[in-house]
Amino acid sequence: MTDWVGHAQRELEREGYRLSAPRSAVVQTLADLGCSVTAKEIADRLHDRGQEVGVASIYRTLELLDNLRLTRRVGPSGEHHHHIVCDTCGQVSTFEDSDLERAIERLASRVDYAIDGHDVTLRGECPTCRSR
């Protein structure tokens, strides 16, 4: 067991999450594959090992690990990004905006918190749904 796997398992337990077989398999596979892997790559590796873990379980585990700051979600470029979600069809698009980042940095300097990260999700209707 790698140091990160042990650390992740301890943190999950400390936060009250049980180490189900699918969750443990995702954590171990993530450690085996290393940095910057996709949910599909995790699913493929699990499948190759004969471990059938549902895609929804993989995404839930990755979201949980991200929320606990055990992993960090990055975009296709490997850079920090944000999301726009269509409330009608569910399409998700990513975006980067340097003005938004500067505004968040200005806000961080005015609040009494030590800000170490942020996520922005905008919701609305995509061009396709809007044109219907």
Side-chain angles (χ1 to χ4, degrees), residues 1 10-11 14 19 24 31 34-35 44-45 57-58 65 69 79 82 85 87 89 101 105 107 116 118:
M1 178 181 321
R10 285 188 300 278
E11 285 298 305
R14 187 177 67 78
L19 291 172
S24 292
C35 185
D44 290 346
R45 176 65 65 93
S57 293
I58 294 170
L65 294 171
R69 299 187 185 276
E79 296 298 319
H82 303 290
V85 179
D87 287 328
C89 70
E101 296 301 323
E105 287 172 13
L107 173 65
D116 61 358
H118 65 270

PDB file of all heavy atoms in Angstrom, residues 1 10-11 14 19 24 31 34-35 44-45 57-58 65 69 79 82 85 87 89 101 105 107 116 118:
ATOM      1  N   MET A   1       0.852  -1.177   0.000  1.00  0.00           N
ATOM      2  CA  MET A   1       0.000   0.000   0.000  1.00  0.00           C
ATOM      3  C   MET A   1       0.896   1.239   0.000  1.00  0.00           C
ATOM      4  O   MET A   1       1.799   1.352   0.788  1.00  0.00           O
ATOM      5  CB  MET A   1      -0.895  -0.024   1.247  1.00  0.00           C
ATOM      6  CG  MET A   1      -1.781   1.167   1.360  1.00  0.00           C
ATOM      7  SD  MET A   1      -2.861   1.250   2.812  1.00  0.00           S
ATOM      8  CE  MET A   1      -3.400  -0.399   3.050  1.00  0.00           C
ATOM      9  N   ARG A  10      -7.299   6.607   5.585  1.00  0.00           N
ATOM     10  CA  ARG A  10      -7.438   7.154   6.948  1.00  0.00           C
ATOM     11  C   ARG A  10      -8.317   8.404   6.956  1.00  0.00           C
ATOM     12  O   ARG A  10      -9.161   8.579   7.833  1.00  0.00           O
ATOM     13  CB  ARG A  10      -6.063   7.457   7.552  1.00  0.00           C
ATOM     14  CG  ARG A  10      -5.299   6.218   8.010  1.00  0.00           C
ATOM     15  CD  ARG A  10      -4.036   6.581   8.775  1.00  0.00           C
ATOM     16  NE  ARG A  10      -3.092   7.382   8.004  1.00  0.00           N
ATOM     17  CZ  ARG A  10      -2.216   6.892   7.129  1.00  0.00           C
ATOM     18  NH1 ARG A  10      -2.158   5.581   6.903  1.00  0.00           N
ATOM     19  NH2 ARG A  10      -1.384   7.690   6.489  1.00  0.00           N
ATOM     20  N   GLU A  11      -8.118   9.271   5.968  1.00  0.00           N
ATOM     21  CA  GLU A  11      -8.912  10.497   5.891  1.00  0.00           C
ATOM     22  C   GLU A  11     -10.384  10.183   5.629  1.00  0.00           C
ATOM     23  O   GLU A  11     -11.267  10.800   6.230  1.00  0.00           O
ATOM     24  CB  GLU A  11      -8.376  11.434   4.803  1.00  0.00           C
ATOM     25  CG  GLU A  11      -7.103  12.136   5.184  1.00  0.00           C
ATOM     26  CD  GLU A  11      -7.287  13.036   6.389  1.00  0.00           C
ATOM     27  OE1 GLU A  11      -8.174  13.922   6.369  1.00  0.00           O
ATOM     28  OE2 GLU A  11      -6.551  12.854   7.383  1.00  0.00           O
ATOM     29  N   ARG A  14     -11.753   8.893   8.855  1.00  0.00           N
ATOM     30  CA  ARG A  14     -11.826   9.979   9.827  1.00  0.00           C
ATOM     31  C   ARG A  14     -13.032  10.872   9.555  1.00  0.00           C
ATOM     32  O   ARG A  14     -13.669  11.378  10.479  1.00  0.00           O
ATOM     33  CB  ARG A  14     -10.541  10.804   9.790  1.00  0.00           C
ATOM     34  CG  ARG A  14     -10.438  11.857  10.891  1.00  0.00           C
ATOM     35  CD  ARG A  14      -9.110  12.601  10.857  1.00  0.00           C
ATOM     36  NE  ARG A  14      -8.941  13.425   9.684  1.00  0.00           N
ATOM     37  CZ  ARG A  14      -9.513  14.621   9.503  1.00  0.00           C
ATOM     38  NH1 ARG A  14     -10.296  15.123  10.427  1.00  0.00           N
ATOM     39  NH2 ARG A  14      -9.307  15.307   8.411  1.00  0.00           N
ATOM     40  N   LEU A  19     -15.062   2.413   3.784  1.00  0.00           N
ATOM     41  CA  LEU A  19     -14.189   2.007   2.692  1.00  0.00           C
ATOM     42  C   LEU A  19     -14.823   0.827   1.961  1.00  0.00           C
ATOM     43  O   LEU A  19     -14.400  -0.314   2.112  1.00  0.00           O
ATOM     44  CB  LEU A  19     -12.807   1.640   3.232  1.00  0.00           C
ATOM     45  CG  LEU A  19     -12.002   2.811   3.766  1.00  0.00           C
ATOM     46  CD1 LEU A  19     -10.739   2.328   4.439  1.00  0.00           C
ATOM     47  CD2 LEU A  19     -11.683   3.785   2.654  1.00  0.00           C
ATOM     48  N   SER A  24     -12.524   1.672  -2.370  1.00  0.00           N
ATOM     49  CA  SER A  24     -11.129   1.244  -2.171  1.00  0.00           C
ATOM     50  C   SER A  24     -10.452   0.927  -3.495  1.00  0.00           C
ATOM     51  O   SER A  24      -9.275   1.258  -3.695  1.00  0.00           O
ATOM     52  CB  SER A  24     -11.079   0.018  -1.261  1.00  0.00           C
ATOM     53  OG  SER A  24     -11.481   0.364   0.038  1.00  0.00           O
ATOM     54  N   ALA A  31      -4.000   5.630  -7.363  1.00  0.00           N
ATOM     55  CA  ALA A  31      -2.601   5.647  -6.929  1.00  0.00           C
ATOM     56  C   ALA A  31      -1.706   4.915  -7.924  1.00  0.00           C
ATOM     57  O   ALA A  31      -0.602   5.365  -8.224  1.00  0.00           O
ATOM     58  CB  ALA A  31      -2.481   5.021  -5.541  1.00  0.00           C
ATOM     59  N   GLY A  34      -1.293   7.067 -11.113  1.00  0.00           N
ATOM     60  CA  GLY A  34      -0.530   8.295 -10.911  1.00  0.00           C
ATOM     61  C   GLY A  34      -1.333   9.531 -11.223  1.00  0.00           C
ATOM     62  O   GLY A  34      -2.561   9.540 -11.180  1.00  0.00           O
ATOM     63  N   CYS A  35      -0.650  10.555 -11.593  1.00  0.00           N
ATOM     64  CA  CYS A  35      -1.173  11.902 -11.731  1.00  0.00           C
ATOM     65  C   CYS A  35      -1.930  12.095 -13.045  1.00  0.00           C
ATOM     66  O   CYS A  35      -1.625  11.462 -14.046  1.00  0.00           O
ATOM     67  CB  CYS A  35       0.038  12.818 -11.655  1.00  0.00           C
ATOM     68  SG  CYS A  35      -0.278  14.533 -11.665  1.00  0.00           S
ATOM     69  N   ASP A  44     -11.230   1.795 -17.163  1.00  0.00           N
ATOM     70  CA  ASP A  44     -10.561   0.819 -18.034  1.00  0.00           C
ATOM     71  C   ASP A  44      -9.593  -0.057 -17.245  1.00  0.00           C
ATOM     72  O   ASP A  44      -9.549  -1.275 -17.436  1.00  0.00           O
ATOM     73  CB  ASP A  44      -9.811   1.528 -19.171  1.00  0.00           C
ATOM     74  CG  ASP A  44     -10.741   2.157 -20.194  1.00  0.00           C
ATOM     75  OD1 ASP A  44     -11.954   1.832 -20.192  1.00  0.00           O
ATOM     76  OD2 ASP A  44     -10.256   2.998 -20.984  1.00  0.00           O
ATOM     77  N   ARG A  45      -8.815   0.546 -16.347  1.00  0.00           N
ATOM     78  CA  ARG A  45      -7.859  -0.226 -15.551  1.00  0.00           C
ATOM     79  C   ARG A  45      -8.598  -1.197 -14.624  1.00  0.00           C
ATOM     80  O   ARG A  45      -8.210  -2.359 -14.492  1.00  0.00           O
ATOM     81  CB  ARG A  45      -6.972   0.712 -14.746  1.00  0.00           C
ATOM     82  CG  ARG A  45      -5.988   0.020 -13.801  1.00  0.00           C
ATOM     83  CD  ARG A  45      -4.922  -0.829 -14.523  1.00  0.00           C
ATOM     84  NE  ARG A  45      -4.045  -0.035 -15.319  1.00  0.00           N
ATOM     85  CZ  ARG A  45      -2.881   0.467 -14.916  1.00  0.00           C
ATOM     86  NH1 ARG A  45      -2.460   0.234 -13.679  1.00  0.00           N
ATOM     87  NH2 ARG A  45      -2.143   1.173 -15.729  1.00  0.00           N
ATOM     88  N   SER A  57     -20.032   5.271  -9.563  1.00  0.00           N
ATOM     89  CA  SER A  57     -19.243   5.093  -8.336  1.00  0.00           C
ATOM     90  C   SER A  57     -17.862   5.720  -8.477  1.00  0.00           C
ATOM     91  O   SER A  57     -17.338   6.304  -7.526  1.00  0.00           O
ATOM     92  CB  SER A  57     -19.099   3.609  -8.000  1.00  0.00           C
ATOM     93  OG  SER A  57     -20.335   3.066  -7.642  1.00  0.00           O
ATOM     94  N   ILE A  58     -17.291   5.609  -9.654  1.00  0.00           N
ATOM     95  CA  ILE A  58     -15.972   6.210  -9.901  1.00  0.00           C
ATOM     96  C   ILE A  58     -16.073   7.729  -9.772  1.00  0.00           C
ATOM     97  O   ILE A  58     -15.287   8.362  -9.064  1.00  0.00           O
ATOM     98  CB  ILE A  58     -15.422   5.804 -11.276  1.00  0.00           C
ATOM     99  CG1 ILE A  58     -15.127   4.299 -11.301  1.00  0.00           C
ATOM    100  CG2 ILE A  58     -14.179   6.620 -11.630  1.00  0.00           C
ATOM    101  CD1 ILE A  58     -14.814   3.743 -12.667  1.00  0.00           C
ATOM    102  N   LEU A  65     -13.069  12.522  -3.087  1.00  0.00           N
ATOM    103  CA  LEU A  65     -11.636  12.744  -2.880  1.00  0.00           C
ATOM    104  C   LEU A  65     -11.267  14.206  -3.128  1.00  0.00           C
ATOM    105  O   LEU A  65     -10.449  14.775  -2.408  1.00  0.00           O
ATOM    106  CB  LEU A  65     -10.813  11.817  -3.782  1.00  0.00           C
ATOM    107  CG  LEU A  65     -10.926  10.325  -3.482  1.00  0.00           C
ATOM    108  CD1 LEU A  65     -10.239   9.519  -4.577  1.00  0.00           C
ATOM    109  CD2 LEU A  65     -10.371   9.986  -2.117  1.00  0.00           C
ATOM    110  N   ARG A  69     -10.004  17.178  -0.443  1.00  0.00           N
ATOM    111  CA  ARG A  69      -8.701  17.715  -0.858  1.00  0.00           C
ATOM    112  C   ARG A  69      -7.612  16.641  -0.908  1.00  0.00           C
ATOM    113  O   ARG A  69      -6.429  16.911  -0.664  1.00  0.00           O
ATOM    114  CB  ARG A  69      -8.276  18.888   0.017  1.00  0.00           C
ATOM    115  CG  ARG A  69      -9.238  20.047  -0.055  1.00  0.00           C
ATOM    116  CD  ARG A  69      -8.716  21.244   0.688  1.00  0.00           C
ATOM    117  NE  ARG A  69      -9.675  22.313   0.721  1.00  0.00           N
ATOM    118  CZ  ARG A  69      -9.854  23.215  -0.244  1.00  0.00           C
ATOM    119  NH1 ARG A  69      -9.146  23.135  -1.334  1.00  0.00           N
ATOM    120  NH2 ARG A  69     -10.753  24.169  -0.115  1.00  0.00           N
ATOM    121  N   GLU A  79      -4.904  22.462 -16.420  1.00  0.00           N
ATOM    122  CA  GLU A  79      -4.975  23.746 -15.720  1.00  0.00           C
ATOM    123  C   GLU A  79      -6.307  23.890 -15.002  1.00  0.00           C
ATOM    124  O   GLU A  79      -7.288  23.250 -15.340  1.00  0.00           O
ATOM    125  CB  GLU A  79      -4.795  24.892 -16.718  1.00  0.00           C
ATOM    126  CG  GLU A  79      -3.442  24.911 -17.387  1.00  0.00           C
ATOM    127  CD  GLU A  79      -2.301  25.101 -16.407  1.00  0.00           C
ATOM    128  OE1 GLU A  79      -2.425  25.909 -15.470  1.00  0.00           O
ATOM    129  OE2 GLU A  79      -1.281  24.432 -16.585  1.00  0.00           O
ATOM    130  N   HIS A  82     -13.225  26.309 -14.888  1.00  0.00           N
ATOM    131  CA  HIS A  82     -14.563  26.358 -14.328  1.00  0.00           C
ATOM    132  C   HIS A  82     -15.537  25.709 -15.303  1.00  0.00           C
ATOM    133  O   HIS A  82     -15.160  25.353 -16.416  1.00  0.00           O
ATOM    134  CB  HIS A  82     -14.955  27.805 -14.031  1.00  0.00           C
ATOM    135  CG  HIS A  82     -13.998  28.482 -13.108  1.00  0.00           C
ATOM    136  ND1 HIS A  82     -13.892  28.147 -11.771  1.00  0.00           N
ATOM    137  CD2 HIS A  82     -13.073  29.439 -13.316  1.00  0.00           C
ATOM    138  CE1 HIS A  82     -12.965  28.880 -11.206  1.00  0.00           C
ATOM    139  NE2 HIS A  82     -12.443  29.674 -12.127  1.00  0.00           N
ATOM    140  N   VAL A  85     -22.983  24.748 -16.974  1.00  0.00           N
ATOM    141  CA  VAL A  85     -23.867  23.591 -17.092  1.00  0.00           C
ATOM    142  C   VAL A  85     -25.206  24.031 -17.656  1.00  0.00           C
ATOM    143  O   VAL A  85     -25.811  24.990 -17.160  1.00  0.00           O
ATOM    144  CB  VAL A  85     -24.089  22.924 -15.715  1.00  0.00           C
ATOM    145  CG1 VAL A  85     -25.022  21.732 -15.824  1.00  0.00           C
ATOM    146  CG2 VAL A  85     -22.754  22.520 -15.095  1.00  0.00           C
ATOM    147  N   ASP A  87     -28.961  23.687 -17.820  1.00  0.00           N
ATOM    148  CA  ASP A  87     -29.993  23.133 -16.959  1.00  0.00           C
ATOM    149  C   ASP A  87     -31.033  22.329 -17.736  1.00  0.00           C
ATOM    150  O   ASP A  87     -31.782  21.564 -17.149  1.00  0.00           O
ATOM    151  CB  ASP A  87     -30.697  24.245 -16.175  1.00  0.00           C
ATOM    152  CG  ASP A  87     -29.821  24.815 -15.076  1.00  0.00           C
ATOM    153  OD1 ASP A  87     -29.002  24.063 -14.507  1.00  0.00           O
ATOM    154  OD2 ASP A  87     -29.954  26.020 -14.791  1.00  0.00           O
ATOM    155  N   CYS A  89     -30.352  20.370 -20.918  1.00  0.00           N
ATOM    156  CA  CYS A  89     -29.862  19.100 -21.469  1.00  0.00           C
ATOM    157  C   CYS A  89     -28.713  18.491 -20.668  1.00  0.00           C
ATOM    158  O   CYS A  89     -28.322  17.351 -20.903  1.00  0.00           O
ATOM    159  CB  CYS A  89     -29.429  19.267 -22.924  1.00  0.00           C
ATOM    160  SG  CYS A  89     -27.919  20.257 -23.140  1.00  0.00           S
ATOM    161  N   GLU A 101     -10.602  35.241 -12.363  1.00  0.00           N
ATOM    162  CA  GLU A 101      -9.559  34.860 -11.410  1.00  0.00           C
ATOM    163  C   GLU A 101      -9.056  36.072 -10.630  1.00  0.00           C
ATOM    164  O   GLU A 101      -8.866  36.005  -9.417  1.00  0.00           O
ATOM    165  CB  GLU A 101      -8.398  34.163 -12.121  1.00  0.00           C
ATOM    166  CG  GLU A 101      -8.767  32.845 -12.773  1.00  0.00           C
ATOM    167  CD  GLU A 101      -9.314  31.810 -11.811  1.00  0.00           C
ATOM    168  OE1 GLU A 101      -8.839  31.729 -10.650  1.00  0.00           O
ATOM    169  OE2 GLU A 101     -10.234  31.079 -12.202  1.00  0.00           O
ATOM    170  N   GLU A 105      -9.281  36.800  -6.624  1.00  0.00           N
ATOM    171  CA  GLU A 105      -8.107  37.173  -5.829  1.00  0.00           C
ATOM    172  C   GLU A 105      -8.366  38.459  -5.035  1.00  0.00           C
ATOM    173  O   GLU A 105      -7.977  38.558  -3.870  1.00  0.00           O
ATOM    174  CB  GLU A 105      -6.892  37.354  -6.749  1.00  0.00           C
ATOM    175  CG  GLU A 105      -6.351  36.050  -7.286  1.00  0.00           C
ATOM    176  CD  GLU A 105      -5.272  36.257  -8.346  1.00  0.00           C
ATOM    177  OE1 GLU A 105      -4.769  37.393  -8.487  1.00  0.00           O
ATOM    178  OE2 GLU A 105      -4.954  35.269  -9.022  1.00  0.00           O
ATOM    179  N   LEU A 107     -11.311  39.544  -4.011  1.00  0.00           N
ATOM    180  CA  LEU A 107     -12.240  39.176  -2.950  1.00  0.00           C
ATOM    181  C   LEU A 107     -11.499  38.462  -1.819  1.00  0.00           C
ATOM    182  O   LEU A 107     -11.722  38.750  -0.647  1.00  0.00           O
ATOM    183  CB  LEU A 107     -13.340  38.263  -3.492  1.00  0.00           C
ATOM    184  CG  LEU A 107     -14.286  37.683  -2.446  1.00  0.00           C
ATOM    185  CD1 LEU A 107     -15.087  38.789  -1.783  1.00  0.00           C
ATOM    186  CD2 LEU A 107     -15.190  36.652  -3.065  1.00  0.00           C
ATOM    187  N   ASP A 116      -7.682  28.964  -0.240  1.00  0.00           N
ATOM    188  CA  ASP A 116      -6.681  28.124  -0.913  1.00  0.00           C
ATOM    189  C   ASP A 116      -7.235  27.432  -2.148  1.00  0.00           C
ATOM    190  O   ASP A 116      -6.578  26.600  -2.752  1.00  0.00           O
ATOM    191  CB  ASP A 116      -6.079  27.102   0.055  1.00  0.00           C
ATOM    192  CG  ASP A 116      -7.106  26.157   0.627  1.00  0.00           C
ATOM    193  OD1 ASP A 116      -8.292  26.296   0.308  1.00  0.00           O
ATOM    194  OD2 ASP A 116      -6.715  25.269   1.402  1.00  0.00           O
ATOM    195  N   HIS A 118     -10.917  27.459  -5.171  1.00  0.00           N
ATOM    196  CA  HIS A 118     -12.297  27.817  -5.474  1.00  0.00           C
ATOM    197  C   HIS A 118     -12.785  27.009  -6.668  1.00  0.00           C
ATOM    198  O   HIS A 118     -11.993  26.502  -7.454  1.00  0.00           O
ATOM    199  CB  HIS A 118     -12.427  29.320  -5.750  1.00  0.00           C
ATOM    200  CG  HIS A 118     -11.692  29.764  -6.970  1.00  0.00           C
ATOM    201  ND1 HIS A 118     -10.388  30.175  -6.925  1.00  0.00           N
ATOM    202  CD2 HIS A 118     -12.063  29.835  -8.257  1.00  0.00           C
ATOM    203  CE1 HIS A 118      -9.989  30.480  -8.157  1.00  0.00           C
ATOM    204  NE2 HIS A 118     -10.989  30.283  -8.989  1.00  0.00           N
TER     205      HIS A 118
END
